[in-house]
Amino acid sequence: MGNVNSLANKTDELAALVRNQRTYWECSLFCFTETWLTASIPDANVNIPGFVTVRADRDSARSGKSKGGGLAILINNRWCNPGHVTVKETICCRDVELLAVSLRPYYVPREFSHAIVVCVYVPPRADAEAACDVIHATFARLQTQHPDAFVALSGDFNHITLDSTLTSFTQYVDCPTRKNRTIDLLYANISDAYTAIPLPPLGKSDHNLVFLKPYYKPCVMRQPTTTRSFRKWSQEAEETLKDCFASTDWSVLQDSHGEDIEGVADCTTDYLNFCMDIVVPVRTVRCFANNKPWITSDVKDLLNKMKRAFKDKNQEELKNIQRELKSCLKEAKETYRKKVEQKLQVAAISATSASAPLDTSLPLLSAAQVSLSQTVSTSSPPPLTSPLHLSADQVTGALRRLRSGKSAGPDEVSPRLLKACAFELGLPLSNIFNMSLQLGRVPTLCKTSCLVPVPKKPRPSELNDFRPVALTSHIMKTMERLLLPLLRPQVQHALDPLQFAYREKIGVEDAVIYLLHRTYSHLDKASSALRIMFFDFSSAFNTIQPPLLRDKLVKMNVDPHLVSWITDYLTCRPQYVRLTDGTWETVVSSTGAPQGTVLSPFLFTLYTSDFQYNSEMCHLQKFSDDTAIVGCVKGGQEEEYKRQVDDFVAWCRLNQLQLNISKTKEMVVDFRRSGPPLQPVSIEGVDVETVKTYKYLGLQLDNKLDWSTNTDTLYRKGQSRLYFLRRLRSFNICKKLLQMFYQSIVASILFYAVVCWGGNMKRRDASRLDKLVRRAGAVVGMELDSLVTIAERRTLDKLLSIMNNDSHPLHTTIMKQRSVFSGRLLSQSCTTDRLRKSFILRAIRLFNSSHRGRDAADD
């Protein structure tokens, strides 16, 4: 690739290089910019023997320029058949010239359908934003039409880059291409594809050529063949298991053990696994990294037959097998499409109520499947019959809400089995649960957890590169979900009002809104700055001390039997770690609330509920184990803030909670033009690092209260999710299900906590996200709501939710602004424009200007 400055004058030199130098004649294709070719120059004058030339000459009427410009791609005939070359796009305007060519080489790794090569030239005086918009729109169309294609973009970009436009692409040219500048770039949609090698320029061109040496390894070479074991579930297998458990005399299995809770639990789980092994045997298959998802055993058999026929040179049989293979592939793709649609429809039925039926255009499930799905999604546990007794109906309802696709825990009982046979297993499992509550003991098997190390990055090199994921018993999780309604009312009076986690209709958005509102309110005062300390715990849940928690629960007047059960639940929990060879290694029993359990997060909130602080100048707020202290610094007075930091550190030491000081950060928001510098805070003799940006509950906060960093993060995540949306569309999924997938997978990331930042972002950042929404709309095939529309709607909904929730920390603040006469909300007086950016003032303006606000005021 390179800028040649008039290709016609350098064709002879290029032909000589192709004839005499291996680097050139083995090259698969050449991408040239500024060819200076016009309609008066025929192809014969620029053709190279053994190459086919694709040109995109500059149009002076469209570009406004008569000299320079023009693009050309020369494709090696030994690498790709000339009949498999197709021009996909040609653009020529004042800001950019673009040529996109689709290629089907003789050899393509199975993970790619074909290759698309795009050549681009951006003039030196072009509008950078307009050029990026054109390239962005072109690639959106190409990737939507060809989600499995390898896409490479090369050319002379002069003063622009596409790092923020094509965030999922990798740039490979790392050597100077014009003097000491790198303005000829190459982007590709995969990583580790090329290595750039500089070459001398053609003729007297002022740009060096760049040779991109292939570095990519196919998936089948990078990832070895693996074997996977799974159970082949079917409707017949589920019915067989139901009949088996319905005819089982559970008293014979359970009563013989008396009050031995360990024996009852082990006997019951062994019997469940025994029946499942007989009815649903385990199958083992070989998995290849480059296999398409619709590849079946029939397709593989035909492929092997075709290979044998080719080796035997039996042309007649080869043609017959090829026709049969084409039909089999079509049928396999159609079957896979129906399978994906059925899964998505089941998810849609579970997410909607029975009063809101799906669109009639969707493919229908059987009546039994729809009935079962609606029962699972709408059923709720019956009210508790007594404080410490769980009925069979309650257990059945909880089992029906299990997710059948989850991995089994250490007891190897599949959630699919529990969900399918919920009615038959409700009674025996309720007996185990009630016995456990009466004895105040938890079976060891139910407390056991399996730790599976999951890599955090592609090439882990140390233990910190792995994230431990805990697998626990689904039977135990069911019991924990039933115990939460027992525990929550007894401790409601002792919960921290500024603990935003695990509360009804209160979540991440409310925690960030409260923090930002206090931040803007403090900064609205004259000569004020703000200090925010974000604390990080080391294995917070695992460091819960059962004796200390027991004493706190006793002070909260929790039922003594439940206190005993929770204490035993947190004590002596065996753990296993999966090794690289697939075996399990026993780890010493731990104490605390491990990952993968239902009660652990709520128990941690109870453990930390006795440290609370909220004053006019400083407050402490929590979201589970994410703790932040926000303090206002006015006139250099910061004693209250530092005192609360010291008190919290001392409280953590007293309760044996370990602070990770290296990950504890402080962010200072200071817009004062003059003032004494703020000294760092020291914890246990170590100065806490002051940062400009911090990721708090999934949002990127910075010390300028600017949302550009957060927008960049959301944009990158949204682009990566669009890949899955395109893949889904390639299976010809219906439009309604594509929209549902967009809302649940793409929009959930793109508009995460939009009520916090949607009204304060820059216009440029909002435009970037709206482009991503339009790209998703092109994939789905319908117009989607813009960022502003969604932000305003969710802001108004959140405001009404706060007004209707008396326990919300901002409820009193908002209701004080409500007019007694008109019912409208009055805006707060502020001395600076910063407070006007807060959620409350933005929501009040929307409330008063919307029809919904006026209707609510009339009511």
Side-chain angles (χ1 to χ4, degrees), residues 579-598:
L579 303 179
T580 55
D581 57 356
T583 60
W584 298 90
E585 179 181 351
T586 306
V587 181
V588 179
S589 298
S590 63
T591 298
Q595 298 178 357
T597 59
V598 177

Side-chain angles (χ1 to χ4, degrees), residues 7 41 87 174 224 252 313 315 357 432 495 502 517 585 592 632-633 642 656 707 711 731 779 797 824:
L7 179 62
I41 302 177
V87 177
D174 53 2
V252 176
K313 299 181 179 180
Q315 297 296 328
I432 297 177
L495 294 178
Y502 319 116
H517 176 71
E585 179 181 351
C632 179
V633 179
K642 290 187 176 181
Q656 301 186 28
W707 295 100
T711 304
F731 302 141
V779 179
D797 291 341
R824 296 167 66 89

